[in-house]
Each structure stands twice: as C-alpha cells, then as structure tokens.
C-alpha cells in the first residue's frame, strides 16, 4: 500500500487487537448455555436406572459397544444420567432413531411399543425438554469475518466496481453445511496479505488520480530504422494539460559517435538524444511538456545513419542502426480525465480548491463512506483518523485523490469492515438477552438475503429507528426477495444446501458418457438455480421443491431430457408433460452430484435425500466397512440392487442402508448424468422400495408423492437449514422452540417461501442475542 510504514504498523496493531477480541468472543460463544427446564412431574414414571439403562443394555449394546461400535456410537460412555445430560446431541440421535423405527434394526430383538415409548418419553422430558412458554434463548453469534462471496458483493455495493478480488482469497471453512459460520470460519495469515493487496487494487479501480504514475498510457509500435527515417503514430490528446512522451529504443553502435534520435510532436522538434542503449538493455527516453487538446503526430527520427562494413579501422568499421520498440503518451498529468468512472463520481463528491480545505473535503467524503462500510455510523475518532491519512498523503506531495485512495484502503482493512461485529454494551448482566439495534438488524437482514451490506433504504430506516415499525420489516423482506441482489441467496444458500458447488468437480467417465460436456454441466447448474430463484421471486409453495410441474431448459438440456420444441441457448420455462421429472429430484444437477463417475449411487442419492430434504442425516459408516467400489464390486454379481443387497448383508451396514438404499433406488430411472433410462446395461430398472413405516413406491413419481406427504419433516428441514444460514451459527437444542414456531407459522401461511423467510427474520434468534457473563469478559 502506498502510505507510510507507521500507518501500516497501526493497522497491524489493530489486527492484533481484533484477533484478541475474536478469541475472547469465540471462547465465550462456547460457554454459558442456559439451563433446561426441569422435567415435569409426569416424567417421574420412568427413571434412568430402572428403565433407560436396562433398555440400552438389552436392545442396543449388541451393536453399540466397544471400539467397533456401529456408527461410532459406543453407548457404554453414557451409562449415567449425568453423562446423558452432557451429550444432548447423542440423546437426540437416539430419539430420532427410536421414533422412526430404524433402531433396533430388523432382525434384532425388538422392544414393545410401551418400552419404546417409555424411553422416548424420558428423553423428551428429562434431556431435551425446553420451556417454550417462557423467554426464548436467542443464542450467541460469534464475531466473524466476511466470507469470499460477502466480501465481493460488499465491495461491489460499497464502491461500485465490477471486480471480484476475493476470488484470490483462500477457501472459506465450512461448518453445519455453510461457509458463513462464525464458529468455524478462520483467518489464515495469508489472508491478511491478500486483504492489503486487494484494498490497493480496489481503490485503483474505483478512484482515478491525476498523479503521473496513475495517468492513462497510450502506446503505438515502433520499428527498426536501418537508415535515416522515422517511426511515428498519431495520438489523441483528450484535453489540454501536461503529458509525458516516451520512446523506448536501443541501437547497434558503430562509428565515432552513438546513434542519435530526434523526437518530434507534429512540426515541433522536442529534443535530440544520444541512444547509447543496446538490445540487451533498452531504455526509455522521456519528455514532459504541455500539449493542447487534439490529435498530434508523435515520431522518433534516426538522424545519423552510418554504414562502413569494410573500413580497415576496427573503430570505424560497422553498421549503425536505431530500433524504436514503441512510443507512448502518458497523461494528462495533474488533471482528471473528463469521463470519470461512475465509481469515482459516486465517491469523490468534492475536491478542495486550496490546501486549507483538504480536511473538510475529506471528511465530507469519508464519513458517509465509513458509515456504510462499517454498517453503522462512523465515530468522530474513526473519521478523524481517516482524514489524517488524506492530509499525510497530500502533505507528501501527492494529489487529494491519492489521499482518498489511501484512506479508503484504511477502511477496507479495518476490522470494522472485514468483520460483522455485534458488541454487547457495557455494563451487561450475566446471560442478559438484548434486542439488536436497527443497524445490527439491517446488517443481519442484508447479509442473509443479499450476502452484502444494507442499501440506502435499509440504512434510512435504521437511522430513523423505524425498521421494526408498522410492518416495515415485512415490507423490506418482500422488497429484498424481489430485488436482483437476492440471486445471492441462490448462489450462497441454494448452492450449498443443494451441493451445487460440487457440480463443477464431478467428472463422469468419458468412455461411458461421451455426450457429457461442459455445456451440459453449465445447463444443469443453471436449471436448478433458475428453479430455486423462481420459487423465491414468485413466492411459491415450499413443496414445489419436492414436486413441481415446471422447470427451465435450453436446447442442450431439453435434448438431454427428451423435451421437444426447445431451441437455442436461451433458457425458457417449460411445463413438464410427463411424470418422469418434477422438483429437485428430477434435475440432472442433483442426480450428477450424487453419482459415481461410472454408475449411479443409491447410497449417495439416499443420503442426499435424508440430509437435505428430511434432515435425518445417517451416521458415518462403521470403521472397517468398505464402500461398494468398482474393484470390490467385481466379486458380487447381478443388478446394482442385487449387489447392494449382498453388500449390506453385513449387519454393520443394514440398519442405515435400509432407508438410504430404498430412497436411492427410487431414483434408479436416472443414469449418473440424469438422463432417463429403463435399463441398466442388460438389466431392467427396478425403482421400487419400501421405507421404514411401510410406505412403498415403484417409480420416482411415487417416491416424490411419499416425500411430499412428509410435510412436517421437509418444512422443519428447510427451516433449520435456512435459519442456520441466516444466523451464521449452528443450531443448538434450545433453538427447538424457534424451529417449532417457525414451522407452525409457515404451515399456517400456506407454506409460502416469503413466510419462511419472514418467520426467520422475526424470530428471537435473528432479532436478539444473549450476552456473556462477567467472568467471561
């Protein structure tokens, strides 16, 4: 960066302070969970020692004990009530498996319904019960930096430059399925260097300076001059001012004097120079002069040709030649161009007419800019520090615009810009819950829906303190969802929820799928993004994600889907005329990311459905159990279904695969790249299956009907994932009350997408934050 090392040292010290704050907040965020509501008296009918422990010993220990316990769950670690209460996540998984009927697995001793319900009731009453009638714990969101997408979007909206500097930053850490989670997103040392470099590049693009090294350069090629002659070109001088005229040249030296070159501008002879440079080390020959606006001919003339190849005197023998590599005109210098970029005119709203006005003008520019960048009003001290940077640069002989560039660089490397900061006021009570200020709420809202800073309308409402008044918040949500910037929700939420970001990494086997190419890959991604965007912009029913009668295709994708009547590269909305496709599970992007390079993967597809549509992620496979790889598959025979059945004959696999495989087999009519098929090689496709609970299907269409009937599971799944993304933290046990309320209200509002977003925005975890106790400070 182009400012003094003391300034850089101050920035480094600010970073060191910030890192201490981050560490303290992160530590605090992992402590201080509120107590659970005491179990109701009715739960006393079951006890851990008399009911729960014997149940686990009888029905669970056979598979979940010791080093080779299935799913990595060794239950002997949780054989006291105190240990169970410490590991609510384990209890929640056990509860899910008991309620779904997955555990104990088929073929193992089964508890009676009364025994099962007794354990379920005890877990709900003693371990997971929360008082949803009283105040809701909103949790704490860890201070976190902007991720790459947020940084790029914020730079675009703050400075108005079409530039994506964060594409060169290290990849962001992912937690709970998203890359905006405060507890996991880190700050590698190399990122600080990238921030500094990016700030300089951004300001050079956004703000034009009249300084010589920033003046525009026009060039024209030169030529070799073997005899007297000239190399020249016409140049346009856009306005009257000072310019640097430059000739890059060298020479073959011969004779008693060096090669000479005369530079001319039009009829005006500027100077004659000795060109002593040689080919190995060319030189620039410069002239600075004032030039009137208009077109001028700039030329370099060779004036002392010499040719005596046969002279007996070695000092006089030779051939003198001049080589003009190029001619350049740089400028105007000290004068801003007439056609300034929009970013410059937007930022530099005044220019001091005399040195005494530098500070006042800088303050006019920097106060509103810093306020937008920090997402709240900048303090007097912050603005004064930035103004001093401008004064320092100007006093050093550089232009006012250069000073503004440096001050903006200071803004862009400030922790107040790079981090989303929500500081609790002092003093505060232990575990105190506070309502976010309007600026904090506006920031949460804009980064949720736009992955960027608040716009002018949000800032105006925040400044007036009326963002929550008279339906303003709901109106803003609807406005923002219709704004083109809501495409960030498609890129950042849908791209990670649906795993579309991995689509670019999948490479189907070329020998088996020669029709697959990059155009088809791009079309697959576009279809799903446009489908998601249609549900957002048209405020459609959430269950259209599971089954819809429309999609978006261009000619390439329509041919892949065997949809007639679509031509050209332009995507168009089409009504699906058959039951082959509908919703996300009929889209090639999803089918491709859940396949192997050479064949489909019922396991991956089933797992994807469980994780992303039903919020029932299976545990990791037991240690030592191999995948059904192509090599190991050779020892098995028959259809893929038959080979999978042989594979899961292993008792360690059967429990989870019973549901996963059934869901995946329901999508077997789609090949690895999402094309419809009725055969797999020589075998007929069997897309039938039966889920735990007895629901049966025989085709993808029937599977979609079953999934669509599980409305509460999908509604809660999407609510939890979108709430996680909106908050930037993983959900905790105490968030159950919020999720329950969101799901109820969304159902009551016809399951519209805007209802889901609005319920999240109006929820306590989004609107409030829990403080930290005094001993955490």
């Amino acid at each position: 960066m182009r400012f003094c090392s003391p300034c850089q040292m101050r920035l480094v010290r600010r970073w060191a302070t910030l890192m201490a704050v981050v560490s303290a907040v992160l530590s605090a965020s992992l402590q201080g969970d509120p107590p659970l509501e005491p179990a109701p008296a009715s739960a006393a009918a079951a006890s851990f020692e008399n009911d729960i422990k014997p149940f686990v010993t009888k029905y669970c220990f056979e598979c979940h004990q010791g080093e080779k316990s299935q799913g990595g769950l060794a239950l002997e670690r949780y054989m006291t009530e105190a240990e169970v209460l410490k590991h609510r996540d384990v209890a929640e998984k056990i509860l899910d498996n008991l309620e779904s009927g997955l555990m104990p697995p088929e073929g193992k001793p089964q508890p009676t319904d009364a025994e099962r319900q007794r354990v379920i009731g005890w877990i709900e009453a003693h371990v997971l019960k929360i008082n949803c009638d009283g105040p809701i714990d909103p949790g704490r969101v860890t201070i976190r930096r902007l991720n790459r997408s947020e940084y790029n979007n914020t730079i675009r909206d703050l400075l108005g430059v079409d530039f994506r500097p964060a594409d060169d930053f290290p990849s962001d850490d992912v937690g709970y399925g998203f890359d905006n989670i405060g507890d996991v997103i880190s700050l590698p040392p190399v990122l600080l260097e990238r921030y500094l470099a990016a700030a300089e590049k951004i300001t050079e693009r956004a703000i034009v300076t009249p300084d010589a090294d920033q003046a525009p350069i026009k060039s024209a090629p030169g030529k070799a001059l073997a005899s007297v002659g000239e190399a020249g070109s016409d140049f346009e001088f856009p306005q009257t001012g000072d310019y640097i005229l430059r000739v890059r040249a060298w020479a073959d030296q011969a004779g008693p004097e060096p090669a000479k070159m005369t530079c001319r501008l039009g009829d005006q002879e500027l100077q004659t120079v000795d060109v002593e440079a040689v080919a190995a080390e060319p030189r620039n020959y410069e002239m600075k002069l004032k030039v009137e606006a208009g077109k001028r001919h700039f030329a370099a003339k060779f004036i002392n040709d010499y040719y005596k190849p046969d002279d007996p005197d070695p000092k006089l023998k030779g051939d003198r030649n001049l080589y003009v590599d190029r001619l350049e005109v740089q400028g105007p210098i000290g004068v801003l161009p007439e056609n300034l970029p929009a970013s410059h005119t937007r930022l530099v709203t005044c220019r001091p007419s005399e040195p005494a006005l530098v500070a006042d003008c800088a303050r006019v520019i920097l106060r509103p800019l810093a306020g937008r960048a920090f997402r709240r009003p900048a303090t007097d001290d912050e603005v004064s520090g930035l103004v001093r940077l401008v004064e320092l640069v100007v006093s050093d002989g550089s232009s006012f615009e250069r000073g503004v560039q440096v001050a903006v660089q200071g803004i862009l490397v400030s922790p107040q810009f790079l981090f989303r900061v929500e500081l609790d006021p002092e003093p505060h009570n232990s575990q105190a819950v506070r309502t976010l200020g309007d600026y904090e709420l506006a920031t949460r809202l804009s980064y949720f829906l736009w992955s960027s800073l608040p716009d002018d309308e949000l800032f105006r409402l925040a400044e007036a303190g009326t963002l929550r008044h008279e339906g303003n918040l709901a109106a803003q949500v609807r406005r923002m969802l219709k704004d083109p910037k809501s495409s960030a929700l498609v890129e950042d939420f849908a791209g990670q929820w649906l795993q579309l970001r991995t689509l670019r990494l999948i490479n189907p086997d070329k020998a088996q799928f020669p029709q697959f190419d990059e155009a088809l890959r791009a079309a697959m991604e576009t279809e799903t993004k446009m489908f998601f965007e249609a549900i957002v912009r048209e405020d459609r029913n959430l269950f259209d994600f599971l089954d819809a009668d429309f999609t978006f295709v261009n000619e390439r994708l329509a041919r892949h889907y065997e949809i007639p009547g679509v031509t050209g590269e332009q995507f168009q909305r089409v009504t699906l005329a058959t039951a082959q496709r509908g919703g996300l599970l009929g889209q090639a992007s999803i089918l491709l990311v859940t396949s192997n390079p050479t064949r489909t993967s019922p396991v991956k597809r089933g797992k994807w459905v469980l994780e992303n549509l039903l919020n029932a992620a299976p545990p990791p496979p037991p240690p030592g159990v191999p995948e059904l790889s192509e090599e190991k598959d050779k020892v098995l025979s028959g259809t893929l279904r038959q080979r999978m059945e042989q594979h899961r004959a292993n008792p360690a696999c059967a429990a989870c695969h019973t549901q996963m495989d059934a869901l995946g087999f329901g999508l077997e009519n789609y090949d690895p790249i999402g094309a419809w098929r009725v055969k797999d090689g020589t075998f007929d496709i069997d897309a039938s299956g039966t889920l735990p609970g007895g629901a049966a299907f025989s085709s993808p269409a029937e599977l979609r009907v079953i999934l669509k009937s599980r409305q509460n599971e999908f509604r809660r799944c999407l609510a939890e994932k979108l709430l996680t993304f909106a908050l930037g933290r993983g959900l905790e046990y105490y968030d159950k009350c919020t999720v329950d309320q969101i799901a109820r209200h969304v159902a009551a509002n016809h399951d519209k997408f805007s209802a889901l977003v609005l319920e999240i925005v109006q929820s306590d975890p989004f609107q409030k934050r829990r403080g930290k106790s005094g001993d955490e400070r």
Side-chain angles (χ1 to χ4, degrees), residues 218 234-241 243-245 265 289 291-298 329-332:
K218 299 176 183 177
D234 291 338
F235 287 88
E236 185 70 37
F237 293 81
Q239 61 190 99
T240 300
Y243 291 83
I244 294 175
L245 279 59
L265 183 64
L289 66 156
V291 182
E292 297 294 324
K295 183 177 287 187
R296 301 283 188 279
H297 187 77
F298 176 39
V329 172
Q330 184 173 10

Side-chain angles (χ1 to χ4, degrees), residues 289-328:
L289 66 156
K290 184 175 183 178
V291 182
E292 297 294 324
K295 183 177 287 187
R296 301 283 188 279
H297 187 77
F298 176 39
K301 184 176 182 180
F302 183 27
I303 63 172
N304 66 332
D305 184 33
Y306 181 90
Y307 184 72
K308 290 186 177 182
D310 300 321
D311 196 303
D313 186 346
K315 295 182 179 179
L316 301 177
K317 180 180 179 180
D319 181 12
R320 183 188 300 143
N321 301 296
L322 178 67
Y323 300 90
V324 177
D325 180 41
R326 64 177 179 269
L327 299 98
E328 294 180 345

Side-chain angles (χ1 to χ4, degrees), residues 546-700:
L546 301 181
D547 195 8
D549 63 357
F550 72 95
T551 191
F552 297 85
V553 294
N554 63 358
E555 181 178 354
R556 182 72 181 85
L557 190 58
R559 188 167 67 248
H560 187 62
Y561 286 171
E562 299 179 346
I563 296 176
V566 178
T567 58
E569 290 300 310
Q570 192 72 23
F571 274 77
Q572 55 187 274
R573 187 178 186 138
V574 295
T575 299
L576 298 171
T578 73
Q580 287 184 3
R581 299 183 188 276
L584 293 169
L585 292 180
Q587 296 180 8
S589 61
I590 306 301
L591 298 161
L592 177 58
V593 299
T594 53
S595 293
N596 292 328
T598 58
R599 63 167 175 81
T600 59
S601 174
V603 174
K604 289 181 180 178
R605 288 179 173 178
K607 183 173 181 286
W608 189 95
V609 172
L610 289 173
E611 288 180 341
N612 297 294
L613 303 183
L614 301 178
N615 210 29
V625 176
E627 284 190 41
L628 182 62
S629 64
E630 293 297 317
E631 292 74 17
K632 292 172 183 174
D633 192 19
K634 293 177 182 177
V635 302
L636 304 177
S637 60
T639 66
L640 178 59
R641 176 185 288 269
Q642 291 167 340
R643 298 195 304 273
M644 291 294 297
E645 287 172 351
Q646 295 173 59
H647 177 68
R648 70 170 181 264
N650 184 336
C653 306
C656 295
H657 279 272
T658 297
Q659 182 167 216
M660 272 196 304
D661 294 0
L663 291 166
F665 281 127
L667 304 174
E668 271 297 281
N669 278 117
Y670 306 108
D671 74 7
I673 60 172
W676 183 264
R677 63 181 182 175
V678 294
K679 285 184 175 290
D680 181 9
T682 61
F683 298 104
D684 291 335
I685 292 294
D686 179 4
S688 64
T690 302
L691 300 177
F697 55 87
S698 60
S699 68

Side-chain angles (χ1 to χ4, degrees), residues 351-470:
R351 197 172 192 227
S353 57
E354 56 182 275
L357 300 177
V358 167
D360 290 341
C361 189
R363 191 169 283 104
V364 167
I365 294 170
L366 295 172
R367 182 177 291 280
L369 181 64
R372 292 195 72 219
F374 299 162
R375 280 85 68 177
R376 44 101 181 139
T379 66
D380 289 342
D381 286 345
E382 289 169 335
V383 175
S384 295
L386 295 169
V387 170
R388 282 195 295 273
L389 281 177
V390 179
E391 292 177 311
L392 178 65
V393 172
V394 173
S395 67
D396 198 38
S398 294
S399 67
F400 174 75
E401 287 79 9
R402 170 78 84 206
V404 174
Q405 275 188 344
V406 171
V408 175
Q409 291 170 20
I411 290 173
L412 297 183
V413 297
S414 166
Q416 298 297 326
F417 170 76
L418 294 170
F419 288 80
R420 288 175 53 185
V421 180
E422 296 173 352
L423 293 180
D424 298 319
E426 298 281 357
H428 51 266
N429 297 324
S430 172
Q431 301 290 322
V433 171
R434 72 173 179 90
T435 299
L436 296 177
D438 277 39
Y439 286 103
E440 294 170 319
L441 180 59
T443 297
R444 281 198 180 188
L445 182 59
S446 64
Y447 279 97
F448 171 25
L449 300 181
W450 289 347
S451 294
S452 185
L453 50 72
D455 66 354
D456 290 342
E457 186 167 342
L458 283 173
F459 273 126
R460 281 195 297 271
L461 290 171
E463 182 179 13
T466 58
L467 183 54
R468 294 181 172 89
H469 292 184
E470 300 174 359

Side-chain angles (χ1 to χ4, degrees), residues 112 118 131 165 183 328 486 494 524 571 584 600 605-606 682 708 741 774:
T112 66
R118 201 174 186 83
N131 180 13
D183 286 341
E328 294 180 345
S486 67
M524 292 175 177
F571 274 77
L584 293 169
T600 59
R605 288 179 173 178
T682 61
K708 200 169 181 179
Q741 178 175 296

